[in-house]
Amino acid sequence: MLSKDQKWLHYINNIIAADVYSAVFLGTYQRHMRLSKTYARHMEVMDLQKYTVISREHKVRQAIKERADIPFVFVVGKN
């Protein structure tokens, strides 16, 4: 829990955390997710050009590789 005198700090790889230990944990977790490629089951791709939402894991990975740089294609978390 943050107290009033604590501040959020911006670390490398766009990690924002209240302390160094939290930032290291989050960075390690992100690296693990990238290497194991399990991130795709927790993501969806919303393609507003085709009016579709892509939810299946293998299709999400494919869409991220092929369509992520196209305008109006968004990668979002499933929460």
Side-chain angles (χ1 to χ4, degrees):
M1 187 91 179
L2 285 176
S3 65
K4 289 183 180 181
D5 59 338
Q6 284 183 318
K7 295 181 181 179
W8 292 98
L9 300 173
H10 190 210
Y11 296 93
I12 60 171
N13 297 330
N14 291 326
I15 295 174
I16 299 174
D19 58 12
V20 175
Y21 301 110
S22 299
V24 169
F25 173 77
L26 185 56
T28 305
Y29 180 71
Q30 285 180 336
R31 183 175 184 277
H32 168 72
M33 293 297 282
R34 275 193 310 269
L35 292 176
S36 64
K37 295 187 179 179
T38 57
Y39 61 89
R41 73 177 66 145
H42 305 288
M43 306 295 278
E44 288 180 333
V45 176
M46 295 184 178
D47 189 344
L48 298 182
Q49 290 186 347
K50 293 184 177 183
Y51 298 106
T52 58
V53 176
I54 303 167
S55 297
R56 292 191 177 190
E57 187 175 350
H58 68 283
K59 295 278 189 179
V60 168
R61 270 196 232 114
Q62 182 181 6
I64 289 172
K65 284 181 185 176
E66 296 173 0
R67 301 193 54 83
D69 57 341
I70 298 174
F72 301 108
V73 175
F74 303 101
V75 180
V76 297
K78 283 186 179 179
N79 345 349

